[in-house]
Amino acid sequence: MRPIAVEGLHRRFPGRPPTTALDGIDLDVAAGSLVAVLGPSGCGKTTLLRLVAGLDRPDAGTIRIGDELVEGPGHHVAPHRRGVGLVPQQGALFPHLDVAGNVAFGLHRRPRPDRARRVDDLLALVGLAGAGSRRPDQLSGGQQQRVALARALAPEPSVVLLDEPFSALDTGLRASLRAEVAQLLRDAGMTAMLVTHDQVEALTMADRVAVVRDGRVVQVGAPDELYRRPVDGWVGTFLGDAVRVPGRRTGDRTATGPLGDVELADGFAHHDGPEVMLFVRPEQLRPDEPGEDPTVPAVVVGTRFQGPDTLVELALDAGATVTARWSSTTGARLGDRVDLAVHGPVLAHRPAAPSDDD
């Protein structure tokens, strides 16, 4: 297991005007961990992956894999010498080779019996035992991704890089394959970097998530830490739905507003003034239960069924409209009057702060 250390990485592409893809990225990936690099399209995450893989060169900065400098001023280690396995989008299998040939592609220096054993072991590991003679066009999308993963693991790389590997799969298959791949990487003891724009993918697969915006890492942390304690409003809304309503501080850790009196959590930039913007996750707004207080009266004005959950739009008696996420078994109906309770501390940040939202 070898860690990845990226420091001060810059990459600019020529054009009119030139495009800055990376603007001084720093990122550490601990040995044996899986870090997801998450961000919107065009933020620089795929460029970062290509630089770590050695498929492109930075304009400035350094990359280390383990103790070895693989990229730096006047220094470049070729991709095939970095000990890196790459899993591209949509598998990208060689169509002229069968499954076994694809998996064995990077094993040409090994004796034939060793190659055969390694291929058999890996196909069993990814759930495709006995499929070595099949052609890529005889496989489903999920099976092709499994073969691509086996091919990447075959040379026993110290690092595996995954470039949005599930983006072309249907929803059900994507969810199941995420869990399988994450477990396979952990079982193999690999250090892995996953590039994705899918928030659910990053939060469910990774040990740590690095959120990238405009070529910079804006926050790194455990998935639950980022979701519950985003560094600003942009990160918070990028990672999930949010309800934002104005409020006013009533103490160091308390505030009041349309949702009644709430407890404030740590997070966001500190703001000395009394006026704040309250940031609440929809699942924190629930119908009250006997004995709960305080509660806020509201009426159901809209519902959006989402399978196990329903998004419920509520008009508060205080005047604001908010969206809650409830179990579909709750059976919310238009016109129902409910008393809402806010569960858990909520975040607060500066009001009218465009940089937090854009």
Side-chain angles (χ1 to χ4, degrees):
M1 294 186 291
R2 301 167 73 197
I4 305 170
V6 172
E7 185 175 353
L9 218 57
H10 288 260
R11 184 68 174 102
R12 200 178 197 199
F13 295 105
R16 296 184 180 178
T19 300
T20 299
L22 300 179
D23 190 19
I25 275 191
D26 297 321
L27 181 63
D28 291 323
V29 181
S33 70
L34 192 163
V35 169
V37 180
L38 174 68
S41 297
C43 72
K45 56 188 185 294
T46 295
T47 299
L48 172 62
L49 191 86
R50 288 177 55 81
L51 294 177
V52 174
L55 301 176
D56 190 14
R57 300 197 62 180
D59 299 309
T62 62
I63 302 171
R64 293 181 180 276
I65 298 179
D67 296 328
E68 182 182 6
L69 178 69
V70 297
E71 198 72 62
H75 184 78
H76 174 76
V77 174
H80 66 281
R81 297 187 180 277
R82 295 193 178 196
V84 169
L86 178 63
V87 182
Q89 295 184 36
Q90 303 180 32
L93 301 181
F94 302 116
H96 63 290
L97 298 177
D98 60 15
V99 166
N102 269 276
V103 176
F105 183 76
L107 302 176
H108 57 278
R109 294 184 179 179
R110 295 194 182 191
R112 187 181 297 273
D114 288 351
R115 287 203 305 268
R117 280 195 296 271
R118 181 66 175 157
V119 169
D120 289 344
D121 288 346
L122 284 167
L123 289 179
L125 183 68
V126 299
L128 289 173
S133 62
R134 297 172 66 180
R135 313 292 293 191
D137 60 5
Q138 296 175 313
L139 304 177
S140 68
Q143 289 172 327
Q144 290 183 27
Q145 286 302 106
R146 288 188 177 94
V147 175
L149 179 62
R151 182 178 61 187
L153 296 179
E156 299 180 272
S158 58
V159 170
V160 175
L161 307 176
L162 302 105
D163 184 11
E164 306 215 33
F166 315 113
S167 59
L169 306 181
D170 63 70
T171 302
L173 179 58
R174 191 161 60 239
S176 62
L177 199 54
R178 284 171 184 156
E180 291 176 18
V181 169
Q183 192 59 52
L184 284 171
L185 291 170
R186 291 186 175 98
D187 289 346
M190 298 290 181
T191 301
M193 180 186 292
L194 165 72
V195 160
T196 182
H197 66 274
D198 187 316
Q199 294 87 341
V200 173
E201 190 165 287
L203 295 175
T204 57
M205 286 187 67
D207 301 306
R208 289 168 62 81
V209 177
V211 181
V212 178
R213 176 175 61 185
D214 298 332
R216 289 179 174 270
V217 174
V218 293
Q219 189 174 5
V220 182
D224 60 338
E225 175 190 342
L226 265 64
Y227 186 77
R228 296 191 177 110
R229 301 287 186 271
V231 72
D232 60 31
W234 183 89
V235 173
T237 53
F238 184 72
L239 289 174
D241 296 329
V243 173
R244 286 193 276 186
V245 294
R248 185 177 181 86
R249 287 185 186 273
T250 55
D252 290 341
R253 297 293 297 271
T254 58
T256 191
L259 292 171
D261 297 331
V262 296
E263 178 186 355
L264 296 181
D266 295 329
F268 287 168
H270 292 290
H271 175 60
D272 295 332
E275 304 300 324
V276 294
M277 186 66 68
L278 301 175
F279 182 102
V280 187
R281 293 295 186 191
E283 60 269 20
Q284 289 184 264
L285 300 176
R286 307 178 198 169
D288 75 320
E289 297 177 2
E292 283 189 333
D293 64 274
T295 57
V296 178
V299 61
V300 176
V301 295
T303 61
R304 281 177 283 165
F305 180 73
Q306 294 189 326
D309 300 322
T310 296
L311 291 181
V312 183
E313 191 173 0
L314 299 146
L316 307 180
D317 284 6
T321 299
V322 299
T323 300
R325 181 181 292 111
W326 295 349
S327 168
S328 294
T329 60
T330 304
R333 296 172 299 179
L334 292 178
D336 283 353
R337 288 200 63 84
V338 298
D339 288 323
L340 288 180
V342 179
H343 286 249
V346 305
L347 291 160
H349 63 97
R350 303 180 308 274
S355 63
D356 286 349
D357 304 325
D358 296 340

